[in-house]
Amino acid sequence: MKIICIGRNYVEHIKELNSDRPDEPIVFLKPDTSILLDKNPFFIPDFSNDVHHEVEVIIKINRLGKHIDEKFAHKYYDEIGLGIDFTARDVQRELKEKGLPWEKSKAFDGASVVSRTFIKKDKLGDFNNIDFQLFKNGKLQQDGNTRLMIWKIDELISYVSKYFTLKIGDLIFTGTPAGVSKVVENDELKGVLAGEELFSIRVK
Ligand code: ZN
């Protein structure tokens, strides 16, 4: 399986990082070795002093597809989960400045938190209006809603399937809203989607 991630998909997050609003979705991949399932500890890697959490809605692909038309995209997933795209911001900044790929800052072991529970689409109602939050040590740190995405879920599926064949079990991380921050040892990160707690991760 593969993990496809979307960068800069929320306006307020683009502003907080002083990034430019892209004309097309920014796409990058992570290997399956980066997956960290809920309840496992996250270890800050020794090559970074500035690891940020990015809470993101995750789409799980349930059909094989390529060149998917946007109007059929909803047939390619029926579950939505929540995760964290951990980012070594200091490493990423350096790579960006040099125009190099981001993988070392985002694809390392443990960098992709994935909830064990995914919620069925039909339980969620309008999936372009789903609230989700990240709580850090009990305090609300990121407060998002899928309606704030620049490119919506179906647009993203259509877009990425022009480049990559989507396979059953592939995950799409759909970008983070504002409120990213540095994690330190002993932080507790809780993710909530549509009022349901989907993950709880301790930083080590
Ligand atoms: Zn991200």
PDB file of all heavy atoms in Angstrom, residues 135-148:
ATOM      1  N   PHE A 135      -6.150  17.733  20.073  1.00  0.00           N
ATOM      2  CA  PHE A 135      -5.945  18.253  21.424  1.00  0.00           C
ATOM      3  C   PHE A 135      -4.536  17.879  21.871  1.00  0.00           C
ATOM      4  O   PHE A 135      -4.122  16.721  21.758  1.00  0.00           O
ATOM      5  CB  PHE A 135      -6.970  17.656  22.401  1.00  0.00           C
ATOM      6  CG  PHE A 135      -8.371  18.139  22.141  1.00  0.00           C
ATOM      7  CD1 PHE A 135      -9.188  17.486  21.216  1.00  0.00           C
ATOM      8  CD2 PHE A 135      -8.869  19.254  22.803  1.00  0.00           C
ATOM      9  CE1 PHE A 135     -10.484  17.940  20.970  1.00  0.00           C
ATOM     10  CE2 PHE A 135     -10.162  19.713  22.556  1.00  0.00           C
ATOM     11  CZ  PHE A 135     -10.971  19.063  21.638  1.00  0.00           C
ATOM     12  N   LYS A 136      -3.807  18.907  22.342  1.00  0.00           N
ATOM     13  CA  LYS A 136      -2.448  18.648  22.848  1.00  0.00           C
ATOM     14  C   LYS A 136      -2.475  18.855  24.351  1.00  0.00           C
ATOM     15  O   LYS A 136      -2.800  19.949  24.823  1.00  0.00           O
ATOM     16  CB  LYS A 136      -1.493  19.638  22.170  1.00  0.00           C
ATOM     17  CG  LYS A 136      -0.043  19.474  22.516  1.00  0.00           C
ATOM     18  CD  LYS A 136       0.763  20.320  21.533  1.00  0.00           C
ATOM     19  CE  LYS A 136       2.016  20.859  22.126  1.00  0.00           C
ATOM     20  NZ  LYS A 136       2.707  21.757  21.194  1.00  0.00           N
ATOM     21  N   ASN A 137      -2.171  17.816  25.077  1.00  0.00           N
ATOM     22  CA  ASN A 137      -2.229  17.850  26.547  1.00  0.00           C
ATOM     23  C   ASN A 137      -3.571  18.403  27.041  1.00  0.00           C
ATOM     24  O   ASN A 137      -3.627  19.224  27.956  1.00  0.00           O
ATOM     25  CB  ASN A 137      -1.054  18.670  27.099  1.00  0.00           C
ATOM     26  CG  ASN A 137       0.271  18.141  26.579  1.00  0.00           C
ATOM     27  OD1 ASN A 137       0.452  16.932  26.455  1.00  0.00           O
ATOM     28  ND2 ASN A 137       1.193  19.034  26.245  1.00  0.00           N
ATOM     29  N   GLY A 138      -4.625  17.975  26.387  1.00  0.00           N
ATOM     30  CA  GLY A 138      -5.975  18.351  26.808  1.00  0.00           C
ATOM     31  C   GLY A 138      -6.471  19.680  26.270  1.00  0.00           C
ATOM     32  O   GLY A 138      -7.639  20.025  26.443  1.00  0.00           O
ATOM     33  N   LYS A 139      -5.587  20.438  25.618  1.00  0.00           N
ATOM     34  CA  LYS A 139      -5.957  21.772  25.119  1.00  0.00           C
ATOM     35  C   LYS A 139      -6.166  21.725  23.604  1.00  0.00           C
ATOM     36  O   LYS A 139      -5.379  21.122  22.877  1.00  0.00           O
ATOM     37  CB  LYS A 139      -4.818  22.726  25.489  1.00  0.00           C
ATOM     38  CG  LYS A 139      -5.040  24.162  25.095  1.00  0.00           C
ATOM     39  CD  LYS A 139      -3.815  25.006  25.496  1.00  0.00           C
ATOM     40  CE  LYS A 139      -3.543  26.093  24.483  1.00  0.00           C
ATOM     41  NZ  LYS A 139      -2.713  25.721  23.350  1.00  0.00           N
ATOM     42  N   LEU A 140      -7.237  22.397  23.142  1.00  0.00           N
ATOM     43  CA  LEU A 140      -7.517  22.415  21.703  1.00  0.00           C
ATOM     44  C   LEU A 140      -6.385  23.126  20.962  1.00  0.00           C
ATOM     45  O   LEU A 140      -6.078  24.282  21.236  1.00  0.00           O
ATOM     46  CB  LEU A 140      -8.840  23.149  21.437  1.00  0.00           C
ATOM     47  CG  LEU A 140      -9.272  23.252  19.973  1.00  0.00           C
ATOM     48  CD1 LEU A 140      -9.486  21.876  19.348  1.00  0.00           C
ATOM     49  CD2 LEU A 140     -10.544  24.094  19.851  1.00  0.00           C
ATOM     50  N   GLN A 141      -5.746  22.410  20.029  1.00  0.00           N
ATOM     51  CA  GLN A 141      -4.579  22.963  19.338  1.00  0.00           C
ATOM     52  C   GLN A 141      -4.844  23.170  17.842  1.00  0.00           C
ATOM     53  O   GLN A 141      -4.374  24.128  17.251  1.00  0.00           O
ATOM     54  CB  GLN A 141      -3.388  22.015  19.549  1.00  0.00           C
ATOM     55  CG  GLN A 141      -2.099  22.449  18.907  1.00  0.00           C
ATOM     56  CD  GLN A 141      -1.504  23.692  19.558  1.00  0.00           C
ATOM     57  OE1 GLN A 141      -1.510  23.820  20.783  1.00  0.00           O
ATOM     58  NE2 GLN A 141      -1.003  24.611  18.740  1.00  0.00           N
ATOM     59  N   GLN A 142      -5.574  22.255  17.222  1.00  0.00           N
ATOM     60  CA  GLN A 142      -5.950  22.420  15.814  1.00  0.00           C
ATOM     61  C   GLN A 142      -7.442  22.142  15.701  1.00  0.00           C
ATOM     62  O   GLN A 142      -7.924  21.138  16.214  1.00  0.00           O
ATOM     63  CB  GLN A 142      -5.179  21.450  14.913  1.00  0.00           C
ATOM     64  CG  GLN A 142      -3.707  21.788  14.761  1.00  0.00           C
ATOM     65  CD  GLN A 142      -3.071  20.972  13.635  1.00  0.00           C
ATOM     66  OE1 GLN A 142      -2.549  19.892  13.882  1.00  0.00           O
ATOM     67  NE2 GLN A 142      -3.120  21.480  12.411  1.00  0.00           N
ATOM     68  N   ASP A 143      -8.132  23.034  15.017  1.00  0.00           N
ATOM     69  CA  ASP A 143      -9.588  22.946  14.913  1.00  0.00           C
ATOM     70  C   ASP A 143      -9.933  23.070  13.440  1.00  0.00           C
ATOM     71  O   ASP A 143      -9.808  24.140  12.864  1.00  0.00           O
ATOM     72  CB  ASP A 143     -10.203  24.093  15.737  1.00  0.00           C
ATOM     73  CG  ASP A 143     -11.686  23.894  15.952  1.00  0.00           C
ATOM     74  OD1 ASP A 143     -12.198  22.803  15.627  1.00  0.00           O
ATOM     75  OD2 ASP A 143     -12.339  24.833  16.450  1.00  0.00           O
ATOM     76  N   GLY A 144     -10.322  21.954  12.815  1.00  0.00           N
ATOM     77  CA  GLY A 144     -10.532  21.974  11.371  1.00  0.00           C
ATOM     78  C   GLY A 144     -11.924  21.536  10.971  1.00  0.00           C
ATOM     79  O   GLY A 144     -12.682  20.964  11.766  1.00  0.00           O
ATOM     80  N   ASN A 145     -12.248  21.815   9.723  1.00  0.00           N
ATOM     81  CA  ASN A 145     -13.474  21.287   9.126  1.00  0.00           C
ATOM     82  C   ASN A 145     -13.160  21.057   7.652  1.00  0.00           C
ATOM     83  O   ASN A 145     -12.513  21.891   7.004  1.00  0.00           O
ATOM     84  CB  ASN A 145     -14.637  22.278   9.295  1.00  0.00           C
ATOM     85  CG  ASN A 145     -15.930  21.699   8.757  1.00  0.00           C
ATOM     86  OD1 ASN A 145     -16.085  21.474   7.565  1.00  0.00           O
ATOM     87  ND2 ASN A 145     -16.872  21.446   9.648  1.00  0.00           N
ATOM     88  N   THR A 146     -13.632  19.923   7.131  1.00  0.00           N
ATOM     89  CA  THR A 146     -13.279  19.564   5.748  1.00  0.00           C
ATOM     90  C   THR A 146     -13.802  20.581   4.718  1.00  0.00           C
ATOM     91  O   THR A 146     -13.305  20.623   3.602  1.00  0.00           O
ATOM     92  CB  THR A 146     -13.805  18.163   5.389  1.00  0.00           C
ATOM     93  OG1 THR A 146     -15.207  18.101   5.698  1.00  0.00           O
ATOM     94  CG2 THR A 146     -13.079  17.081   6.171  1.00  0.00           C
ATOM     95  N   ARG A 147     -14.780  21.408   5.120  1.00  0.00           N
ATOM     96  CA  ARG A 147     -15.261  22.411   4.148  1.00  0.00           C
ATOM     97  C   ARG A 147     -14.206  23.479   3.863  1.00  0.00           C
ATOM     98  O   ARG A 147     -14.297  24.196   2.868  1.00  0.00           O
ATOM     99  CB  ARG A 147     -16.577  23.037   4.641  1.00  0.00           C
ATOM    100  CG  ARG A 147     -16.450  24.306   5.446  1.00  0.00           C
ATOM    101  CD  ARG A 147     -17.788  24.843   5.872  1.00  0.00           C
ATOM    102  NE  ARG A 147     -18.041  24.556   7.264  1.00  0.00           N
ATOM    103  CZ  ARG A 147     -17.486  25.248   8.275  1.00  0.00           C
ATOM    104  NH1 ARG A 147     -16.690  26.259   8.058  1.00  0.00           N
ATOM    105  NH2 ARG A 147     -17.739  24.908   9.522  1.00  0.00           N
ATOM    106  N   LEU A 148     -13.189  23.573   4.748  1.00  0.00           N
ATOM    107  CA  LEU A 148     -12.135  24.576   4.565  1.00  0.00           C
ATOM    108  C   LEU A 148     -11.025  24.108   3.618  1.00  0.00           C
ATOM    109  O   LEU A 148     -10.068  24.831   3.368  1.00  0.00           O
ATOM    110  CB  LEU A 148     -11.527  24.947   5.927  1.00  0.00           C
ATOM    111  CG  LEU A 148     -12.523  25.522   6.951  1.00  0.00           C
ATOM    112  CD1 LEU A 148     -11.854  25.658   8.315  1.00  0.00           C
ATOM    113  CD2 LEU A 148     -13.056  26.870   6.478  1.00  0.00           C
TER     114      LEU A 148
END
